Amino acid sequence: MADTATTASAAAASAASASSDAPPFQLGKPRFQQTSFYGRFRHFLDIIDPRTLFVTERRLREAVQLLEDYKHGTLRPGVTNEQLWSAQKIKQAILHPDTNEKIFMPFRMSGYIPFGTPIWLNQSHNACVNYANRNATKPSPASKFIQGYLGAVISAVSIAVGLNVLVQKANKFTPATRLLIQRFVPFPAVASANICNVVLMRYGELEEGIDVLDSDGNLVGSSKIAARHALLETALTRVVLPMPILVLPPIVMSMLEKTALLQARPRLLLPVQSLVCLAAFGLALPLAISLFPQMSEIETSQLEPEIAQATSSRTVVYNKGL
């Protein structure tokens, strides 16, 4: 069976026309190397490409069918590597890798920036994004989603609002110092809130474990230790995520506000600040999620004994989610 699949893939690969600007297509593999930060950054730029939000249902079906044809060695003549990579990009941006089901548009990673909103709406959106892009190898009842959602939003908003109120009531600071702190306090507030959001929305993974696979893609078992690693890695990305958004704009704006242009035209302050924040937001997401590959690797010796005994592979992989 494996030989048949290999033959079919080889036939499909030879059927795909060579492209001068595209590497040979590999089904289910990233176009860019995941061992380097740049490779992951370039890969996730495709995942978050907002243009995929406008892909029609027909175009999605065509992309999935093209990949199926490649898999079974039935590609029509003239299909290029670029077309295959484009089809896989569409599928990865829209369909969940574990369930193969369509992710609701606002909760895809490509919808994170255009659908992001302030304060409690933002944390509600974050909760839904965290849930929609979780490791979904285990079923999760709606009651756990509701409990996690309420806990995530309440804790996140409480932390964010509480820290700001605390700073406002700190009378010992001079007005200038208080203003400076207020500009930077959103970072620890949002970072802490984001960690609570991820952990509470995906707490079920810690209870049930997540599937780990060997190098051939075979299921080895369900690991709670791998689930802890997945949540830790995702939580770290959520700490880094607000960094450029909340740290860079205050620094950039403090310099721009001193320029002759903005001092002479104060009405430009708001649109300039909006552009700076948008640029930081657009840069922050791919930078943060590129810290770790989506399919993370872990040594079997670090996992539960029953998993280590179930495979001869030195390492296994798991979907950490996004």
Side-chain angles (χ1 to χ4, degrees):
M1 196 70 184
D3 292 339
T4 303
T6 303
T7 304
S9 296
S14 62
S17 302
S19 175
S20 59
D21 58 351
F25 179 72
Q26 292 181 287
L27 184 64
K29 302 291 185 182
R31 179 171 179 169
F32 305 94
Q33 289 293 330
Q34 299 296 284
T35 51
S36 69
F37 177 81
Y38 173 77
R40 294 193 295 272
F41 178 80
R42 187 60 188 82
H43 168 69
F44 285 119
L45 279 181
D46 283 348
I47 299 295
I48 70 167
D49 188 343
R51 291 175 297 180
T52 59
L53 294 171
F54 304 101
V55 170
T56 63
E57 190 69 32
R58 178 182 176 182
R59 180 71 184 92
L60 175 61
R61 287 198 303 268
E62 290 174 349
V64 172
Q65 186 59 54
L66 192 65
L67 297 175
E68 285 296 310
D69 291 344
Y70 176 90
K71 180 179 179 181
H72 296 102
T74 57
L75 269 183
R76 65 181 184 275
V79 176
T80 64
N81 287 312
E82 188 61 47
Q83 288 174 307
L84 290 168
W85 285 120
S86 177
Q88 183 156 277
K89 170 183 173 177
I90 290 172
K91 180 181 178 182
Q92 289 178 336
I94 299 174
L95 303 182
H96 194 285
D98 294 331
T99 64
N100 215 33
E101 293 178 356
K102 198 173 179 180
I103 300 174
F104 186 44
M105 184 188 291
F107 307 147
R108 299 173 198 165
M109 294 309 291
S110 55
Y112 189 87
I113 293 174
F115 288 99
T117 46
I119 205 66
W120 71 269
L121 284 177
N122 174 259
Q123 288 301 329
S124 293
H125 181 250
N126 285 349
C128 292
V129 168
N130 289 333
Y131 182 81
N133 294 278
R134 72 196 187 284
N135 179 296
T137 54
K138 295 286 185 299
S140 180
S143 59
K144 284 194 174 182
F145 167 76
I146 294 171
Q147 291 172 6
Y149 168 76
L150 291 175
V153 173
I154 291 171
S155 63
V157 174
S158 299
I159 291 171
V161 174
L163 280 177
N164 277 292
V165 171
L166 188 64
V167 170
Q168 289 173 358
K169 292 185 176 180
N171 297 323
K172 64 179 181 179
F173 296 126
T174 65
T177 303
R178 190 182 307 153
L179 179 62
L180 182 64
I181 293 175
Q182 282 177 334
R183 279 191 166 187
F184 288 95
V185 79
F187 170 65
V190 173
S192 303
N194 285 351
I195 293 174
C196 289
N197 204 315
V198 169
V199 173
L200 288 171
M201 288 307 300
R202 295 178 54 179
Y203 185 75
E205 296 174 33
L206 297 175
E207 294 181 323
E208 302 291 334
I210 59 176
D211 289 350
V212 293
L213 312 173
D214 62 18
S215 55
D216 297 321
N218 300 314
L219 177 63
V220 177
S222 182
S223 171
K224 294 182 181 180
I225 296 176
R228 288 203 297 268
H229 279 259
L231 257 67
L232 176 61
E233 290 171 349
T234 306
L236 286 174
T237 66
R238 298 305 192 268
V239 171
V240 174
L241 180 57
M243 223 179 261
I245 304 168
L246 299 177
V247 174
L248 287 180
I251 295 174
V252 173
M253 288 307 300
S254 64
M255 293 186 293
L256 292 179
E257 286 168 359
K258 298 174 183 177
T259 62
L261 175 65
L262 290 183
Q263 287 184 347
R265 296 174 177 84
R267 289 184 179 181
L268 292 178
L269 274 173
L270 184 59
V272 168
Q273 186 173 26
S274 299
L275 288 174
V276 170
C277 290
L278 182 62
F281 199 12
L283 177 67
L285 182 60
L287 281 175
I289 61 178
S290 298
L291 290 176
F292 306 98
Q294 183 169 355
M295 297 303 295
S296 291
E297 189 175 72
I298 187 171
E299 293 187 2
T300 52
S301 59
Q302 298 180 32
L303 301 179
E304 293 85 344
E306 60 271 18
I307 293 179
Q309 294 169 7
T311 179
S312 57
S313 296
R314 188 178 65 83
T315 60
V316 292
V317 296
Y318 58 89
N319 173 23
K320 77 167 180 61
L322 289 175

